[in-house]
């Protein structure tokens, strides 16, 4: 998608480019370019640089540290970040818990939590899912029972991304009596990860990475003042939040940049009949993906405009999430096809470059398999693609999903 | 057209299933993956005893099977059990290379040790710049007074770091990718000038890059006719490709079974996942994919057996169709398992990685689609 920029917008773009060129640390950029995992320090370092610049929380309201950027400016920012291989901001603090705090929290909570989130002084994780409550989040069983000034929290949260790094976890927990209908009994609690009674156990993913964790709460005391908003309203709060989360999960700018990389790599890949770009089958797949991505970009743009007119991202965010995930996963697959046999060696990038002095895998394909494996999660977390379609069915098309389910 | 297994084939199949169920559990397999060797010699010997290797060779070559149907029946079980012993690289690809290219006397010398499982073999046929082109051979064999000197690079050599013997395609004539002038050499793995860099593939099978820097071999190391082995290499790779298809079918069948079982037991929203019609249809699609892939694989098996092991067009069709199904089924299996599907702990992800590997080995989907088109055109030109 090409947009004609105004003079001011062009100046803004130049400013963004300068900033990224001078401030993005080169070792972080290298890791992003090679698709390698970033360390906690890398993320924090970059987010603190953004904070210094005043660009850490572009979507926040201005009064709390947001940027007041137009939809076009946000678009420029995302595009330039992707082109410069800047890491994506870790969402749990800045994009996920902060909007709940500044929307539903009291003044004391805003003062206590927002500045540290903005400055990336604390690392947050999201404690929603449970072994028995995945898609059906509202059936979660972790309980929080009042005892004096405290909630006593007991239960198991699972698949929690980066809990091993986190200082705080935001959780949906069951308050209220067991008789209360499912989602009227959920509350939104902020819990320090160093509270006595919390145990974190790693879960290793198929690409060998340690991202997910199981987090067990055994009689963990949490001050009542750590509850956001009213008791029993946690579900409503987090639903709004999920809409924000989903809209971001389209990853348009990143996909656009990866598609460019893919094209370059296809030109460089020889097949015996010229380059892979000359193979009509491969280039047709590339073209189809590009068409889909451009349409997605415009869909996203339409939502950004709507948002800047103060409409909350509603069910459209489900479309962004489904299509965005689909496009990014098809780019993964095209990289797999491009790499051919080079998909196979599972060598960490550091040793591959030094491998007896020879490069065993071309640089552009070194992380192909890892990324393909890792990104299978995209259609699961933040509400799976099937659940997004259910949301569309219910909220847009008006179907009653419980009607005669499974009956004949 | 005959694809009814014989009594002997059924018995072998049954004993392998029993072996995998009782001695080849996933815990054991994981320990093996973590070990330095990467596969178990004990299992290797057991497979030899059970007759797995014999089944892959004709009676005239010292075996008791040797048809594509024999291979298929074995490899489906191997796929189900996610077996990592190098049966494909050693027995099937290398064994078949010897069968296709060697004189009777050379076969009589080499095959017994393969069939008994005493030695394992690897074959270096692909090169870093050749993509899937078997005629792209830039490795050169220069004649010397009593033999040859080999220089070049082979990559993606399955079992290359663990094999006792390595077969290498090298050029004794012709330009880099001409069809003539390709010869086959049998190397011991400890020769001077030979460096072997072992690594693990995404599916935990071991492979290697093999660098030949003036490796001297005696004249007797040249097996097969000098400069004329490309058709033999292609036939052996086709046989291995078909074996991989059968392995994929075994793995896909298992993934479908596990996914169905999961959806029947996992409850969300107070009901089992399998009660959602959208998911029922997804599982129906997985079954359709499986059956279509299986049919194209079986058709290639039958055609291969009816045409003395030669059925390139049908094998390409099978590899393409299996590749499409493999990707789809592997992805759907993870998706329907939810987050547990992407963990290392559940074997769903291990099947996913094996199927991804199979999809790209010996030519990916586009490669075989292109090859199918070319072969169809050639056929039409002849008719
Ligand atoms: C890498 C990764 C990181 C994650 N990080 C976090 C995190 O930080 N915090 C957190 O709280 N959670 C996290 N999750 C969990 C994620 O939100 C859940 O995986 C997701 O909600 C799905 O739940 P489940 O895995 O239990 O699958 P299930 O709910 O068991 O679903 C299995 C399959 O059935 C489908 N399905 C379920 N119900 C229906 C229906 N009604 N109709 C049609 N299809 C249906 C699903 O779409 C899915 O394909 C993470 C997951 C992954 C994979």
């Amino acid at each position: 998608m090409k947009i004609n920029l105004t003079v001011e917008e062009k100046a803004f773009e130049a400013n963004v480019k300068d900033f990224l060129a001078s401030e993005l640390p080169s070792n972080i950029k290298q890791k992003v370019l090679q698709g390698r995992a970033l360390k906690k320090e890398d993320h924090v370092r970059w987010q603190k640089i953004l904070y210094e610049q005043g660009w850490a929380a572009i979507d926040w309201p201005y009064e709390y540290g947001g940027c007041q950027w137009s939809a076009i400016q946000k678009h420029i920012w995302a595009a330039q970040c992707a082109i410069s291989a800047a890491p994506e901001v870790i969402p749990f603090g800045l994009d996920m818990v902060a909007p709940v705090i500044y929307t539903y929290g009291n003044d004391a909570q805003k003062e206590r939590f927002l500045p540290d989130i903005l400055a990336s002084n604390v690392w947050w994780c999201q404690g929603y899912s449970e072994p028995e409550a995945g898609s059906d989040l509202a059936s979660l069983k972790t309980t929080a029972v009042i005892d004096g000034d405290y909630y006593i929290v007991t239960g198991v949260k699972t698949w929690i991304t980066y809990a091993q790094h986190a200082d705080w976890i935001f959780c949906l927990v069951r308050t209220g009596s067991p008789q209360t209908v499912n989602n009227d009994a959920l509350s939104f609690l902020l819990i320090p990860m160093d509270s006595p009674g919390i145990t974190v156990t790693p879960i290793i993913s198929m690409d060998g990475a340690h991202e997910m964790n199981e987090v067990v709460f055994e009689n963990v005391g949490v001050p009542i003042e750590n509850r956001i908003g009213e008791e029993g309203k946690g579900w409503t709060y987090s639903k709004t939040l999920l809409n924000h989360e989903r809209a971001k999960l389209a990853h348009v700018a990143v996909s656009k940049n990866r598609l460019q990389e893919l094209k370059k790599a296809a030109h460089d890949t020889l097949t015996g009949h010229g380059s892979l770009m000359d193979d009509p089958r491969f280039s047709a797949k590339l073209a189809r993906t590009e068409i889909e991505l451009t349409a997605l970009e415009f869909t996203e743009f339409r939502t950004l405009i709507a948002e800047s007119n103060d409409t909350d991202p509603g069910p459209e965010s489900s479309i962004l999430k489904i299509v965005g995930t689909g496009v990014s996963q098809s780019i993964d697959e095209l990289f797999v096809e491009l790499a051919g046999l080079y998909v196979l060696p599972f060598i960490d990038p550091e040793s591959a470059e030094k491998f007896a002095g020879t490069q065993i895998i071309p640089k552009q394909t070194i992380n192909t398999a890892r990324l393909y494996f890792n990104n299978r999660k995209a259609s699961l977390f933040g509400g799976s693609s099937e659940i997004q379609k259910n949301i569309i069915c219910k909220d847009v098309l008006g179907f009653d999903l419980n009607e005669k389910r499974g009956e004949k | 057209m005959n694809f009814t297994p014989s009594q002997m084939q059924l018995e072998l199949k049954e004993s392998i299933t029993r072996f995998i169920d009782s001695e080849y559990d996933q815990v054991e397999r994981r320990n093996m993956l973590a070990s330095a060797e990467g596969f178990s010699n004990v299992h290797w010997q057991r497979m030899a005893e059970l007759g797995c290797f014999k089944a892959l060779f004709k009676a005239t070559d010292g075996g008791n099977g040797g048809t594509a149907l024999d291979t298929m029946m074995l490899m489906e079980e191997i796929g189900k059990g996610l077996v990592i012993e190098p049966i494909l690289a050693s027995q099937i690809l290398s064994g078949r290379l010897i069968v296709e290219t060697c004189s009777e006397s050379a076969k009589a010398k080499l095959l017994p040790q393969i069939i008994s499982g005493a030695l394992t073999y690897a074959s270096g046929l692909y090169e870093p710049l050749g993509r899937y082109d078997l005629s792209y051979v830039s490795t050169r064999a220069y004649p010397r007074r009593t033999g040859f000197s080999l220089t070049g690079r082979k990559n993606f050599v399955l079992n290359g770091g663990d094999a006792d013997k390595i077969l290498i395609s090298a050029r004794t004539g012709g330009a880099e990718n001409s069809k003539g002038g390709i010869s086959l050499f049998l190397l011991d793995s400890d020769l001077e000038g030979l460096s072997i860099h072992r690594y693990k593939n995404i599916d935990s099978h071991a492979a290697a890059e093999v660098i030949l820097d003036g490796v001297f071999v005696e004249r007797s190391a040249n097996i097969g006719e000098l400069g004329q082995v490309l058709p033999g290499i292609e036939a052996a790779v086709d046989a291995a490709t078909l074996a991989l298809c059968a392995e994929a079918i075994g793995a896909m069948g298992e993934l479908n079974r596990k996914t169905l079982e999961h959806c029947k037991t996992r409850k969300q929203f107070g009901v089992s996942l399998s009660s959602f019609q959208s998911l029922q249809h997804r599982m129906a699609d997985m079954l359709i994919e499986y059956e279509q892939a299986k049919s194209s694989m079986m058709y290639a098996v039958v055609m291969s057996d009816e045409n003395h092991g030669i059925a390139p067009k049908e094998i390409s069709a099978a590899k393409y169709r299996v590749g499409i199904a493999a990707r789809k089924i592997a992805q759907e299996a993870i998706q329907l398992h939810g987050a547990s599907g992407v963990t290392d702990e559940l074997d769903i992800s291990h099947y996913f990685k094996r199927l991804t590997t199979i999809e790209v080995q010996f030519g990916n989907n586009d490669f075989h689609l292109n090859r199918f088109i070319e072969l169809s055109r050639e056929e039409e030109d002849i008719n």
Side-chain angles (χ1 to χ4, degrees):
Chain A
M1 186 173 99
K2 293 197 194 80
I3 306 173
N4 280 326
L5 301 180
T6 64
V7 178
E8 292 79 24
E9 285 160 354
K10 276 188 187 143
F12 174 81
E13 186 180 58
N15 190 13
V16 164
K17 276 186 185 165
D18 285 349
F19 166 75
L20 288 166
S22 63
E23 299 302 322
L24 177 60
S26 63
N27 63 331
I28 296 183
K29 184 183 170 112
Q30 278 314 311
K31 283 189 186 177
V32 175
L33 279 176
Q34 292 169 15
R36 283 155 59 189
L38 268 65
K39 295 213 160 64
K40 176 179 180 179
E41 304 90 80
D42 297 325
H43 286 290
V44 172
R45 183 174 170 205
W46 175 235
Q47 289 177 199
K48 281 186 175 291
I49 293 171
L50 293 177
Y51 168 67
E52 294 299 330
Q53 178 74 9
W55 294 352
I58 57 172
D59 292 320
W60 290 20
Y62 187 62
E63 50 187 310
Y64 303 121
C67 287
Q68 271 191 323
W69 283 350
S70 68
I72 299 267
Q73 283 175 309
K74 286 182 186 176
H75 181 86
I76 292 170
W77 170 246
Q80 291 305 324
C81 282
I83 290 168
S84 328
E88 291 190 86
V89 165
I90 297 291
F92 305 108
L94 285 157
D95 290 339
M96 293 189 182
V97 74
V100 174
I101 295 174
Y102 63 63
T103 315
Y104 304 107
N106 57 35
D107 288 343
Q109 289 169 333
K110 290 181 198 172
E111 248 164 65
R112 180 173 172 204
F113 293 110
L114 293 179
D116 277 341
I117 296 177
L118 192 64
S120 289
N121 292 332
V122 290
W123 189 291
W124 285 82
C125 66
Q126 177 193 35
Y128 284 10
S129 306
E130 298 184 3
E132 304 302 319
S135 299
D136 183 13
L137 190 55
S139 71
L140 62 88
K141 291 199 185 79
T142 297
T143 52
V145 180
I146 289 191
D147 181 9
D149 297 335
Y150 287 86
Y151 283 111
I152 305 301
V153 177
T154 299
V156 180
K157 295 288 179 183
T158 192
W159 321 123
I160 310 307
T161 302
Y162 293 145
Q164 76 268 34
H165 298 329
D167 307 299
W168 283 80
I169 182 168
F170 59 95
C171 285
L172 274 180
V173 293
R174 187 162 294 282
T175 43
S177 74
Q179 282 87 348
T180 331
V181 250
N182 267 340
N183 30 13
D184 287 345
L186 302 183
S187 301
F188 198 96
L189 278 193
L190 312 182
I191 307 175
M193 285 297 284
D194 60 3
S195 311
I198 295 185
T199 320
V200 178
T201 314
I203 299 172
I204 304 303
S205 308
M206 66 188 292
D207 59 336
H210 171 201
E211 290 181 353
M212 300 182 286
N213 301 271
E214 184 184 69
V215 181
V216 177
F217 297 80
E218 266 176 292
N219 298 316
V220 177
V222 181
I224 289 181
E225 70 207 36
N226 286 11
R227 190 191 69 226
I228 300 290
E230 290 173 46
E231 195 171 273
K233 286 275 167 69
W235 181 251
T236 319
Y237 303 157
S238 64
K239 248 178 117 172
T240 329
L241 167 70
L242 283 174
N243 281 340
H244 277 280
E245 181 188 344
R246 269 165 210 150
K248 294 237 166 183
L249 290 175
H251 293 300
V252 173
V254 173
S255 286
K256 245 179 109 171
N257 203 51
R258 287 181 68 212
L259 194 65
Q260 288 311 315
E261 296 294 322
L262 185 61
K263 276 190 191 169
K264 256 187 265 165
H267 277 295
D268 294 343
T269 303
L270 300 178
T271 63
H273 306 274
S275 85
L276 197 56
M277 213 50 182
D278 303 322
D279 179 338
R281 257 165 283 290
F282 192 79
S283 59
K285 282 185 256 190
L286 264 180
R288 263 181 243 136
T289 310
E290 185 173 341
I291 291 167
E292 196 64 16
L293 181 55
T294 309
L296 174 68
E297 194 180 10
F298 207 84
T299 309
E300 183 186 60
F301 199 61
R302 284 162 58 197
T303 13
L304 276 178
I305 301 265
E307 237 183 294
S308 65
N309 298 335
D310 262 353
T311 356
D312 235 357
E316 303 82 32
S317 66
S318 291
I319 300 177
L320 290 180
K321 163 115 208 276
I322 294 170
V323 182
T325 301
V327 169
S328 97
Q329 291 182 335
S330 24
I331 294 174
D332 298 334
E333 290 171 32
L334 289 176
F335 268 111
V336 169
E337 294 183 21
L338 172 125
L341 287 164
Y342 284 113
V343 171
L344 300 180
F346 201 60
I347 300 167
D348 71 277
E350 278 81 7
S351 51
E353 279 169 38
K354 296 188 217 105
F355 209 65
T358 60
Q359 179 81 32
I360 198 161
I361 311 181
K363 279 209 172 60
Q364 75 251 33
T365 54
I366 209 150
N367 269 308
T368 299
R370 273 192 178 77
L371 288 174
Y372 174 47
F373 297 159
N374 188 281
N375 203 29
R376 298 315 303 170
K377 70 186 175 193
S379 44
L380 289 167
F381 69 12
S384 69
S385 300
E386 293 75 27
I387 293 306
Q388 302 305 328
K389 286 186 189 168
N390 283 349
I391 291 173
I392 293 175
C393 287
K394 235 170 58 197
D395 295 354
V396 184
L397 303 175
F399 298 145
D400 176 1
L401 294 181
N402 294 319
E403 184 190 15
K404 289 209 167 175
R405 182 194 288 141
E407 288 176 17
K408 276 228 185 77
Chain B
M1 202 175 265
N2 178 20
F3 46 85
T4 328
S6 69
Q7 194 52 37
M8 198 177 77
Q9 286 169 325
L10 286 174
E11 276 164 23
L12 178 63
K13 181 186 155 85
E14 220 168 273
S15 58
I16 299 162
T17 311
R18 229 176 304 124
F19 160 68
I20 289 172
D21 285 350
S22 59
E23 296 167 53
Y24 207 94
D25 64 28
Q26 292 303 318
V27 180
E28 176 102 354
R29 181 175 175 272
R30 258 158 219 269
N31 294 340
M32 245 148 44
L33 295 187
S35 76
E37 275 146 13
F39 71 87
S40 146
N41 272 314
V42 177
H43 287 162
W44 187 251
Q45 285 313 320
R46 277 291 286 145
M47 284 158 73
E49 282 162 33
L50 289 173
C52 294
F53 307 155
K54 258 192 145 154
L56 297 168
F57 295 88
K58 291 198 173 68
T60 47
D61 293 327
N64 60 10
T67 65
L69 187 60
D70 289 300
T71 308
M72 176 190 109
M73 303 226 2
L74 172 65
M75 291 309 281
E76 275 194 78
E77 299 309 308
I78 298 287
K80 268 189 212 166
L82 278 180
V83 171
I84 55 160
E85 277 64 26
I87 190 163
L88 181 88
S90 183
Q91 271 44 17
I92 298 179
L93 179 61
S94 306
R96 191 61 180 261
L97 265 176
I98 292 170
V99 169
E100 292 291 335
T101 60
C102 283
S103 64
E104 291 305 322
S105 64
K107 282 201 279 186
K109 202 170 130 234
L110 301 175
L111 291 178
Q113 286 168 315
I114 294 189
I115 295 173
S116 70
L119 297 181
T120 73
Y121 272 65
S123 293
L125 305 174
Y126 293 102
E127 298 200 357
L129 296 179
R131 208 166 162 86
Y132 292 119
D133 187 355
L134 291 165
S135 66
Y136 183 94
V137 178
S138 68
T139 299
R140 290 245 162 212
Y142 301 100
R144 294 286 179 262
R145 207 164 45 82
T146 57
F148 296 88
S149 165
L150 273 61
T151 293
R153 244 174 109 184
K154 298 285 174 182
N155 201 355
F156 320 110
V157 185
L158 287 171
N159 194 36
D162 304 283
D164 305 291
K165 304 266 184 188
I166 304 182
L167 294 165
I168 294 283
S169 63
R171 212 162 257 298
T172 43
E176 215 154 68
N177 53 1
S178 68
K179 294 198 182 296
I182 298 171
S183 305
L184 204 57
F185 295 87
L186 175 62
L187 277 61
D188 285 317
S189 58
D190 55 1
L191 292 177
E192 203 177 319
L194 183 66
S195 30
I196 299 174
H197 305 302
R198 184 180 189 272
Y199 55 78
K200 287 282 183 88
N201 276 343
I202 52 175
D203 59 353
S204 302
H205 288 236
E209 177 170 54
V210 176
I211 299 175
L212 304 109
D213 183 12
V215 177
F216 177 77
V217 292
E218 301 290 337
R219 197 169 294 145
S220 60
N222 167 230
I223 62 170
E225 208 177 323
L226 196 71
Q228 302 296 324
V229 292
L230 185 62
I233 291 176
E234 286 175 341
V237 167
D238 268 350
T241 305
L242 189 49
L244 259 191
C245 290
E247 185 184 342
I249 294 296
M252 287 190 268
E254 201 57 10
L255 268 186
N256 279 357
R257 189 184 65 72
K258 283 170 188 273
T259 303
L260 178 62
E261 195 178 283
H262 175 79
C263 289
K264 281 184 173 165
T265 40
R266 167 84 172 162
K267 286 194 167 168
Q268 288 289 280
F269 304 98
V271 293
S272 68
L273 293 177
S274 57
S275 68
F276 299 121
Q277 196 160 54
S278 62
L279 298 190
Q280 290 170 357
H281 284 187
R282 300 272 282 273
M283 282 178 275
D285 285 338
M286 289 165 84
L287 181 70
I288 293 168
E289 284 299 299
Y290 169 81
E291 292 297 342
Q292 283 292 95
K294 182 165 180 158
S295 289
S296 53
M297 183 271 292
M298 287 176 72
Y299 178 58
V301 164
V302 170
M303 292 303 278
S304 173
D305 280 341
E306 287 182 358
N307 296 288
H308 313 285
I310 305 293
K313 189 180 134 190
E314 291 74 18
I315 290 174
S316 270
K319 181 66 168 51
Y320 170 76
R321 190 63 189 84
V322 166
I324 297 289
R327 192 192 290 188
K328 170 104 174 160
I329 287 174
Q331 291 178 351
E332 290 289 80
I334 286 190
Q335 185 68 19
L336 298 191
H337 272 83
S340 63
V342 303
T343 62
D344 177 65
E345 193 188 340
L346 241 65
D347 59 11
I348 300 304
S349 68
H350 295 240
Y351 283 98
F352 184 101
K353 291 193 240 184
R354 182 66 192 140
L355 287 171
T356 305
T357 302
I358 291 176
E359 186 190 319
V360 304
Q361 264 171 355
F362 301 128
N364 62 9
N365 298 346
D366 277 359
F367 173 85
H368 282 286
L369 191 60
N370 280 325
R371 186 169 179 249
F372 178 87
I373 293 170
E374 275 167 31
L375 292 168
S376 305
R377 283 200 189 124
E378 282 172 23
E379 217 173 70
E380 279 158 22
D381 288 347
I382 293 167
N383 293 341

